[in-house]
Amino acid sequence: MISFIPNIVFVLIFLFAIFWFSKNVKKIYRNINLGISIDRNDNKKLRTIQMLKIAFGQSKMIDKPIVGLLHIVVYVGFLVINIELLEIIVDGALGTHRVFAPFLGSFYNFLIGFFEIFALLVIISVIVFWIRRNVINIKRFLSSEMKGWPKNDGNIILYVELILMFLFLTMNGADLWIQNNAPEFNYINAGSFPVSQYLLPIFDTFSSNTVFFIERTAWWLHIIGILCFLNYLYYSKHLHIILAFPNTYFSNLNAKGKFSNLKSVTNEVKMMLDPSADPYANNSNEEIPKFGASDVFDLNKFQLLNAYTCTECGRCTSECPANLTGKKLSPRKIMMDTRDRLEDVGKIIDNNNGKFISDGKELLNDYITKEELWACTSCNACTEACPIGIDPLSIIMDMRRYLVMEKSDAPSELNNMMSNIENNGAPWPFNQMDKLNWKNEI
């Protein structure tokens, strides 16, 4: 029975980690579904191609070649090295050692060698990323919204990735030493170790039992670290590792400059243009939908998905002309504030048996200010710059729509322009009869 205790412990830890991760995934799913439903199930083929190209293929990362290449290395390394996670899970549950080796033969050696090379590349990339974040004063990492937790979160992930890669190589190096020098542990001879083989001189200074302890400790810390990392994603910007796929699949396929129209407003305009239309044809008891958005409940589901998917990389803000000219607007902050508000709403629901009780706050004013919204030029640079298709502009425009159509709250310049259009048929403060006076001056 004693020999099965490590396997039982492993299974319990693994099941608890999966349970906790599933619980948090359900919270995210519930929070996203607080938004308004819209149909984005059209053109499945194009959406699938877009997801494979942008999320899986990292196509929008290569516009910055060096950083893009390093990110792709970390991303691919994360994917391929975690293939070995399948073997670790089986070995942990059954008490076996490199259980896939007999079935894969020489290909198994290639895989392990491939994993190790990528582990080394990931270590190099992570170090470069840490230097860029903490030593080189890159402007987009120094914005006010990146102070405190966002900055710490980015560094924590880098530290975790670094530790996991070192544990992986330490585990493999100790495993190789045992294969060569300690037959009493019955480790099968399998795997190619182009990187961890250079650790063997270190292990030569230890006894067999000590190396076995090092190997087992690295093995346990590696798998527990991965399971902890999995559950940490919920609290981190690195949730995009998972959500980038649905986010790119359900992203807007329309032209970037195309704005949506409110159906209720369109119907009113049609009635104004059609003298024969019956204004009482529709059900007068039908509730008129809210114009625009003042809180997360007024945004659609995919805008909320955007908020959870944001990587906080700052490419949007670094391309924003309003931000570059010193305005308060930061598209990255718009997405971070939306996620923060959505998380706060979720906590209220959790604390009130699944019901939302108003906390007296809204996304507008309490999280995002009017100054930020009106600083936007609606140029779409932020949307174009985002490597995973996030659209801050859609949230900005919906909140502007609320200010104008629900609150009649717009900058004086805009109010004057709209009054001129209403009264003069043009944005300029000239009577319609005086429109052609300019020709008399020629």
Side-chain angles (χ1 to χ4, degrees):
M1 177 64 184
I2 295 178
S3 62
F4 291 107
I5 290 178
N7 309 108
I8 295 172
V9 170
F10 172 83
V11 171
L12 291 176
I13 292 174
F14 178 76
L15 292 177
F16 177 77
I18 297 301
F19 163 76
W20 197 257
F21 176 72
S22 301
K23 183 179 179 180
N24 285 332
V25 167
K26 289 179 181 178
K27 283 185 181 180
I28 294 171
Y29 184 77
R30 178 205 64 194
N31 290 352
I32 290 174
N33 277 300
L34 295 174
I36 299 170
S37 295
I38 59 173
D39 186 11
R40 291 260 177 101
N41 291 307
D42 60 315
N43 213 329
K44 291 181 172 59
K45 181 179 179 181
L46 180 59
R47 292 186 179 280
T48 301
I49 292 173
Q50 180 169 268
M51 178 186 68
L52 293 175
K53 180 181 177 182
I54 298 176
F56 187 77
Q58 304 279 292
S59 62
K60 294 190 73 173
M61 292 300 299
I62 58 176
D63 61 338
K64 300 182 186 295
I66 297 176
V67 178
L69 179 61
L70 292 174
H71 187 277
I72 290 172
V73 166
V74 174
Y75 169 72
V76 174
F78 176 83
L79 292 179
V80 300
I81 292 172
N82 281 330
I83 295 174
E84 192 180 21
L85 181 62
L86 299 174
E87 183 179 58
I88 291 176
I89 292 171
V90 176
D91 284 344
L94 302 181
T96 53
H97 172 255
R98 298 196 179 274
V99 67
F100 293 162
F103 301 98
L104 298 178
S106 59
F107 182 64
Y108 182 84
N109 296 339
F110 167 79
L111 280 179
I112 299 301
F114 187 67
F115 296 160
E116 287 211 346
I117 291 171
F118 258 100
L120 179 61
L121 292 175
V122 168
I123 289 173
I124 295 171
S125 299
V126 166
I127 292 173
V128 172
F129 284 140
W130 186 90
I131 292 172
R132 293 180 76 249
R133 280 185 168 272
N134 299 280
V135 179
I136 303 173
N137 292 322
I138 297 177
K139 185 178 178 180
R140 61 190 172 103
F141 294 136
L142 301 176
S143 302
S144 58
E145 69 265 19
M146 294 305 293
K147 299 184 184 302
W149 170 247
K151 178 179 175 64
N152 293 334
D153 174 40
N155 283 331
I156 287 171
I157 289 294
L158 295 178
Y159 298 142
V160 169
E161 289 176 342
L162 204 60
I163 291 170
L164 288 176
M165 293 304 102
F166 276 120
L167 287 171
F168 172 73
L169 294 174
T170 301
M171 174 186 73
N172 278 356
D175 191 307
L176 176 60
W177 191 94
I178 293 172
Q179 291 180 34
N180 296 336
N181 301 284
E184 65 270 22
F185 292 111
N186 297 316
Y187 276 23
I188 64 172
N189 291 315
S192 175
F193 306 93
V195 179
S196 62
Q197 64 178 337
Y198 294 102
L199 299 176
L200 292 184
I202 298 175
F203 296 125
D204 285 335
T205 62
F206 300 119
S207 67
S208 297
N209 288 333
T210 301
V211 176
F212 177 75
F213 176 78
I214 292 172
E215 189 273 337
R216 286 291 84 194
T217 301
W219 187 94
W220 276 98
L221 290 177
H222 181 68
I223 183 61
I224 291 175
I226 289 175
L227 295 176
C228 289
F229 176 83
L230 178 68
N231 282 283
Y232 177 73
L233 291 179
Y234 171 76
Y235 308 95
S236 169
K237 68 177 184 124
H238 283 72
L239 193 59
H240 74 270
I241 292 173
I242 298 171
L243 294 184
F245 293 91
N247 191 80
T248 50
Y249 181 86
F250 290 113
S251 61
N252 191 0
L253 296 181
N254 292 328
K256 292 290 190 297
K258 182 178 181 180
F259 294 122
S260 61
N261 293 320
L262 291 177
K263 185 178 179 181
S264 55
V265 175
T266 302
N267 290 338
E268 289 292 327
V269 172
K270 287 180 178 179
M271 289 178 58
M272 292 171 63
L273 297 175
D274 184 4
S276 63
D278 182 3
Y280 303 102
N282 295 327
N283 184 3
S284 59
N285 295 324
E286 183 179 340
E287 183 179 354
I288 299 176
K290 185 176 183 178
F291 295 146
S294 63
D295 209 348
V296 290
F297 304 101
D298 309 318
L299 299 173
N300 67 57
K301 293 180 180 180
F302 301 108
Q303 288 171 318
L304 301 185
L305 174 61
N306 277 185
Y308 269 120
T309 310
C310 178
T311 71
E312 299 176 14
C313 67
R315 289 192 177 199
C316 53
T317 297
S318 67
E319 297 290 335
C320 174
N323 186 273
L324 291 173
T325 54
K327 304 295 192 301
K328 192 176 180 181
L329 174 64
S330 167
R332 170 174 56 190
K333 180 180 177 294
I334 297 293
M335 304 314 302
M336 293 170 69
D337 286 342
T338 303
R339 174 175 173 166
D340 288 345
R341 174 57 181 167
L342 191 53
E343 277 293 292
D344 290 344
V345 167
K347 290 174 184 176
I348 294 172
I349 293 174
D350 290 336
N351 295 332
N352 292 280
N353 300 315
K355 296 182 180 179
F356 176 73
I357 298 176
S358 176
D359 59 347
K361 294 182 179 181
E362 285 189 317
L363 181 61
L364 179 62
N365 294 323
D366 293 300
Y367 294 79
I368 300 172
T369 65
K370 290 184 286 187
E371 181 184 351
E372 294 172 82
L373 297 176
W374 291 114
C376 177
T377 67
S378 66
C379 67
N380 256 309
C382 55
T383 307
E384 290 286 353
C386 181
I388 49 177
I390 291 171
D391 185 6
L393 179 60
S394 67
I395 295 177
I396 292 172
M397 297 307 295
D398 280 348
M399 296 182 76
R400 277 187 179 180
R401 180 177 280 166
Y402 171 82
L403 287 171
V404 173
M405 303 188 72
E406 291 278 351
K407 295 295 184 180
S408 299
D409 185 359
S412 58
E413 296 87 355
L414 186 58
N415 283 331
N416 291 337
M417 183 197 72
M418 289 190 289
S419 295
N420 289 332
I421 291 175
E422 181 181 2
N423 297 322
N424 305 325
W428 302 283
F430 303 115
N431 187 286
Q432 292 191 40
M433 301 300 295
D434 298 330
K435 281 184 178 180
L436 297 178
N437 286 351
W438 62 270
K439 71 178 184 178
N440 298 324
E441 300 177 4
I442 299 177

